[in-house]
Amino acid sequence: MANLGEGPAGLIAERVLANDVADYIRFRSVCPPWRRCCAAPPADDALDRRFHPRQWLILPEKPRIRYHCRLLNLSTGECILAHLPEFRGHRVFSPSTEGLVLLLHESTHVARLLNPLTHQLTDLPPVTTLLDLLLPLCDLSVDGFGRADDRTVVIHN
């Protein structure tokens, strides 16, 4: 069998990914040969910009179903309900402009970035000493966060 990644399916996968990661995920789910012809989002790297939920907005509504959120595509108007079991045991902060969600594990205080479409998680460098000092004194809030470059995340409190 020829390498599909070099044929038409691979070219289509590249174009689909350049347009919308949700369509790319759908493309990969069609059949095993199509899944093999294109790269899977790396499970532990939500910082890979190719797989960011471009044009998707998490709607700021209280979820009717636990560990779910509604996402809206600003270009097409498509709305999807995403099941996010990664929310379990975490404090969930507002998403960044890149569509990533900041999570803080409630017991370990590990901060993570979550891609709500691919379920990719990236643990951020530990800030447990600082958090252990601050959490008992105040209610931690995050006003916003974003990426300064490929490996730097800035959190504004």
Side-chain angles (χ1 to χ4, degrees):
M1 176 186 274
N3 181 0
L4 288 174
E6 296 172 3
L11 295 173
I12 293 168
E14 286 177 28
R15 286 199 160 182
V16 170
L17 180 58
N19 185 48
D20 183 13
V21 71
D23 289 341
Y24 183 76
I25 293 166
R26 291 179 189 122
F27 178 85
R28 291 188 79 242
S29 68
V30 169
C31 65
W34 285 15
R35 192 170 18 266
R36 285 191 300 270
C37 83
C38 47
D44 60 350
D45 187 8
L47 297 178
D48 187 336
R49 290 184 193 268
R50 295 178 303 156
F51 299 103
H52 282 186
R54 297 175 299 276
Q55 306 167 16
W56 288 92
L57 172 72
I58 296 178
L59 296 176
E61 61 185 15
K62 184 160 175 76
R64 289 178 262 157
I65 306 170
R66 194 171 189 179
Y67 308 127
H68 283 74
C69 70
R70 192 168 302 282
L71 292 103
L72 172 69
N73 186 303
L74 300 173
S75 295
T76 66
E78 177 185 5
C79 197
I80 59 175
L81 183 66
H83 175 63
L84 298 169
E86 295 85 1
F87 282 3
R88 185 175 292 118
H90 289 85
R91 193 157 168 200
V92 180
F93 296 100
S94 296
S96 70
T97 56
E98 293 96 355
L100 303 177
V101 179
L102 179 65
L103 305 176
L104 180 66
H105 195 271
E106 292 173 343
S107 61
T108 64
H109 302 145
V110 170
R112 296 181 169 116
L113 292 179
L114 169 68
N115 182 324
L117 291 177
T118 64
H119 300 270
Q120 295 164 287
L121 275 170
T122 298
D123 288 352
L124 298 178
V127 292
T128 53
T129 305
L130 177 63
L131 286 175
D132 289 339
L133 292 171
L134 291 177
L135 283 178
L137 302 174
C138 63
D139 183 32
L140 180 67
S141 66
V142 172
D143 294 330
F145 75 98
R147 296 186 45 202
D149 58 35
D150 284 347
R151 292 288 163 197
T152 306
V153 176
V154 178
I155 299 173
H156 179 262
N157 176 306

